[in-house]
Amino acid sequence: MKKKLRRFAVTAGVTVAVIAPLAGTAAAVVVTTASRQGSLTQAGPLAEHGFPAWYRDSNGLRLEACTTLDDPLCSTLPDEVPNPDAPVSYPDNFPGEFFYQLAGAQMTLANGVDFGIGMDLEGAWAAEEVRDGDQMVFGRIRIRFDAVEGTRYRITHPYGVDELTADDRGVNMTEDIGTTPGAFGQAITSRVGPFLKWDPAVAPAAPAGYTGDPGVDHRVVGSPYGTNFVRVEQVDPASGAVIADLGSTDLFSVQGRYAANSGIDIDQATYTVGANGTGVIEVFASSEPGQSIEVTGNAQLGFRTTRLRGDNGRYYGRFPVTGSVPATGATIEVVNAGDRPVARKTRKLVDVVRVTDARYDADAGTLTVAAASSDADSTPPQLSVTGFGPITGPFTGVTAPPAAVTVTSSSGGSTTVPLTGSGQAFVPDLPVANAVAPAAAVAGQKVTLDGTGSTGAIDTYSWTQTSGPAVIVTGAATPTASFVATQAGTYTFRLAVSGPGGAGTPVTVSVTVTGAAPAVANAGADQTVIRGRTVTLDGSASTGAETYQWRQVSGPAVTLTGATGARPTFTYPSLTLPAAPGPNPTYVYTNDPVVLELTARNPSGASTSRVTVRPQAETFTGLTVRYRTGNNEWRISGTSNLLAGQRITAVLGGTPAGRVVGTPVTVDAAGAFSIRVTGPNPGTVRTISFVSSTGGQVLGFPVTVTN
């Protein structure tokens, strides 16, 4: 019994570079650097099943779809059709997947692992069921073998070189290109191509009409890189250097049948008839050069079976209409008489629409379209403009037309032409002035008038005072003006704008100025924070302030950012810990707060306000301290109430000035800390003290001494 190629399940999706629908690899990288020589080049006409009749490669080799069950050299699998005991037919008994090329190799690697690769051009259905419109053809590269997670491999094969890193399920890479239904040209961009076929220099020869016998492994030709083999190498994940050659083979199983038929596509079929109902039909078709392309005779239309004229794969025919074209249209059939079975395509005849006028009058807002149909029978078809309706005269009230119009006929014809326009050139609209000013201000303060909200094309701005005590307007010709009022009163200003569209309507704004009052500083509420964190001060509640100035009064030195703004920041410094190994006779513990002062000022005076920022209190619980004289070992543990990742130091004695026990340790996410070190020997000292970088302190905690 002939062996069959292993076929993997189809999973439809969008066209992607690499998809792994059943399992994924941690990394899949195409690393081919050699120049490619060849590819797929063309998809043939659609066959009756809606798939291309064939695909051609750059060597001129055409392969057709293997959709039958009765050809052992080019067969679909019986379980791919609903009834394997009946002939394949479309759509009732058609396979769920099939192949133009089915190629692959299998081998056992040096480490005993089974390796498999597939390199296929496959037809399938987007929804995994036979449904017209869901046809898709894609090129697939699939590589699978068991491997240790994180191991990196380089696989050289006929269609390139891939570097793959195994995940927890080994190496399982799938690359599908062309999984968009109906986009049959996408498969040409895949890595599959040219087609692989048995090497003619190696006996036995391939069966006539086939790329090979899929039941016999054989050497092949067709690789665009000259790599007609598979080699698996393990490489170093960091450097990419080869560290092991795991195996190679130049024997492949291939399936593919040379296309005997050429198929036929009808590119266009139109009719032209006069008032008496007679005229001509024009047919444009395409296939392979040198084919026998015919239009099937149609007694109703009044012509007999006639051959089309061909040139380099294009075919044209012009046939008489001596009968009549039905009001609902007629269907013609074009066949490739040289195909076996004969390839047939049908197409509904449509009329030819010719547009003689398509223009837009911008002044009147009218769209004028004039068109005619090639059907001049006694009852001509209705012509319509897409998006506007039947052509009965100019379309009115058209504010913005499309760049082109499409005219359709009730007989099926259509054409699209660009529009031409007429009318006066557009100019910008009148600008619209918009002015904003504070409702109230204090004498001596700078008041800003804001016209930046004005809209339209604006060339000039003009601010003028219309009432109130006279002031000097600074920036009167700019969008933003300002003035300083020296006395209380109501001040009114007008903003006028102009541009290429003319002068807009001026607008006015008023500002009520009260008597001067000194600024009142408000440094905000006192705060309590954890050392090492950012502190934001808030002086925005100050009134009448034109300037802000912050300074530090006392406490550990800090650096203020934005000291001249309302909301400066600083980082509350961490507490300095006793230095190891100690002792530290000059060490002084201080947990003083940071005191800062804000000065708010305006032309009428200034005031100050202070704010105090205190460190968050820290306490230790669960403290245990044990010293073992036998091995000179300390075991210390405890928990802090602050979860801040702070550092904690333990020192001998009742003050932080003693010798350090070990080095500072970090509190974990639960607030716990632990010190386990050898030495120092406490001698006669039987207490220990703790200090943390967030300010915690415990003095004179008793030490338990054991052997």
Side-chain angles (χ1 to χ4, degrees), residues 132-203:
D132 196 37
D134 276 1
Q135 293 94 331
M136 62 184 185
V137 177
F138 53 90
R140 164 172 286 183
I141 304 292
R142 174 167 281 176
I143 300 172
R144 288 181 173 177
F145 61 95
D146 291 335
V148 177
E149 183 177 5
T151 314
R152 185 177 173 187
Y153 300 90
R154 180 177 298 140
I155 295 92
T156 304
H157 53 82
Y159 293 125
V161 180
D162 290 87
E163 287 197 355
L164 308 174
T165 302
D167 64 8
D168 58 352
R169 289 169 291 185
V171 172
N172 188 348
M173 184 278 281
T174 300
E175 176 189 85
D176 288 341
I177 305 296
T179 54
T180 301
F184 300 117
Q186 288 182 349
I188 295 174
T189 67
S190 74
R191 286 198 283 164
V192 174
F195 294 119
L196 301 180
K197 64 178 183 177
W198 278 13
D199 186 344
V202 178

Side-chain angles (χ1 to χ4, degrees), residues 89-464:
S89 62
Y90 178 79
D92 300 327
N93 200 40
F94 198 78
E97 68 170 357
F98 60 88
F99 298 86
Y100 297 84
Q101 170 176 286
L102 182 63
Q106 299 181 36
M107 60 179 167
T108 301
L109 301 180
N111 56 8
V113 170
D114 291 334
F115 170 92
I117 182 172
M119 300 160 288
D120 310 322
L121 184 63
E122 180 171 348
W125 306 87
E128 299 187 8
E129 61 181 47
V130 177
R131 184 170 62 190
D132 196 37
D134 276 1
Q135 293 94 331
M136 62 184 185
V137 177
F138 53 90
R140 164 172 286 183
I141 304 292
R142 174 167 281 176
I143 300 172
R144 288 181 173 177
F145 61 95
D146 291 335
V148 177
E149 183 177 5
T151 314
R152 185 177 173 187
Y153 300 90
R154 180 177 298 140
I155 295 92
T156 304
H157 53 82
Y159 293 125
V161 180
D162 290 87
E163 287 197 355
L164 308 174
T165 302
D167 64 8
D168 58 352
R169 289 169 291 185
V171 172
N172 188 348
M173 184 278 281
T174 300
E175 176 189 85
D176 288 341
I177 305 296
T179 54
T180 301
F184 300 117
Q186 288 182 349
I188 295 174
T189 67
S190 74
R191 286 198 283 164
V192 174
F195 294 119
L196 301 180
K197 64 178 183 177
W198 278 13
D199 186 344
V202 178
Y210 299 87
T211 58
D213 182 340
V216 177
D217 287 345
H218 199 281
R219 292 175 63 183
V220 298
V221 293
S223 166
Y225 304 106
T227 53
N228 294 298
F229 57 85
V230 179
R231 181 171 60 234
V232 181
E233 299 168 306
Q234 184 178 345
V235 298
D236 182 83
S239 66
V242 175
I243 58 178
D245 187 343
L246 298 180
S248 62
T249 182
D250 61 359
L251 299 179
F252 295 83
S253 175
V254 295
Q255 172 184 292
R257 182 170 59 206
Y258 297 147
N261 287 346
S262 297
I264 179 66
D265 269 340
I266 303 176
D267 303 315
Q268 182 174 293
T270 60
Y271 71 93
T272 300
V273 295
N276 61 358
T278 63
V280 295
I281 289 172
E282 288 186 289
V283 177
F284 301 81
S286 57
S287 183
E288 289 288 277
Q291 300 300 301
S292 178
I293 308 301
E294 299 176 348
V295 63
T296 303
N298 189 308
Q300 180 185 31
L301 297 174
F303 62 84
R304 303 182 68 170
T305 297
T306 309
R307 179 170 293 191
L308 277 68
R309 191 167 62 200
D311 180 23
N312 196 30
R314 301 189 305 272
Y315 295 87
Y316 171 78
R318 185 176 174 86
F319 312 105
V321 177
T322 58
S324 63
V325 178
T328 57
T331 298
I332 65 164
E333 180 183 64
V334 179
V335 305
N336 188 336
D339 281 354
R340 291 294 180 271
V342 172
R344 303 177 182 275
K345 286 288 179 68
T346 59
R347 184 80 170 256
K348 182 180 178 181
L349 287 175
V350 298
D351 58 340
V352 179
V353 177
R354 296 181 177 87
V355 177
T356 58
D357 190 11
R359 52 192 167 86
Y360 175 68
D361 187 331
D363 294 338
T366 57
L367 172 64
T368 301
V369 179
S373 168
S374 62
D375 187 342
D377 206 345
S378 57
T379 305
Q382 175 68 63
L383 300 179
S384 302
V385 178
T386 301
F388 293 90
I391 299 175
T392 58
F395 299 100
T396 60
V398 180
T399 302
V405 292
T406 298
V407 179
T408 61
S409 165
S410 57
S411 292
S414 70
T415 190
T416 300
V417 297
L419 279 183
T420 59
S422 64
Q424 297 294 320
F426 289 8
V427 296
D429 294 334
L430 283 174
V432 177
N434 185 20
V436 177
V442 176
Q445 284 185 326
K446 178 182 176 181
V447 179
T448 298
L449 309 173
D450 187 359
T452 57
S454 302
T455 58
I458 300 174
D459 292 335
T460 65
Y461 292 83
S462 177
W463 293 91
T464 56

Side-chain angles (χ1 to χ4, degrees), residues 640-688:
S640 170
N641 67 314
L642 297 184
L643 307 181
Q646 66 271 36
R647 304 276 282 170
I648 294 179
T649 289
V651 298
L652 290 174
T655 71
R659 185 173 180 181
V660 173
V661 178
T663 57
V665 296
T666 302
V667 170
D668 65 18
F673 63 91
S674 175
I675 301 173
R676 184 172 179 177
V677 296
T678 299
N681 191 314
T684 60
V685 178
R686 290 297 181 267
T687 60
I688 198 169

Side-chain angles (χ1 to χ4, degrees), residues 508-575:
T508 60
V509 290
S510 295
V511 181
T512 299
V513 178
T514 60
V520 177
N522 184 338
D526 291 345
Q527 301 183 49
T528 300
V529 301
I530 296 175
R531 286 177 178 268
R533 305 286 175 84
T534 299
V535 180
T536 300
L537 305 175
D538 189 357
S540 60
S542 302
T543 58
E546 290 192 10
T547 64
Y548 299 87
Q549 184 62 58
W550 294 83
R551 72 179 185 90
Q552 183 175 357
V553 176
S554 63
V558 300
T559 300
L560 284 171
T561 300
T564 58
R567 294 172 59 85
T569 61
F570 70 91
T571 299
Y572 203 112
S574 297
L575 189 68

Side-chain angles (χ1 to χ4, degrees), residues 65-83:
C66 292
T67 58
T68 61
L69 294 169
D70 55 1
D71 185 346
L73 300 180
C74 183
S75 174
T76 188
L77 291 178
D79 58 4
E80 288 295 334
V81 295
N83 183 3

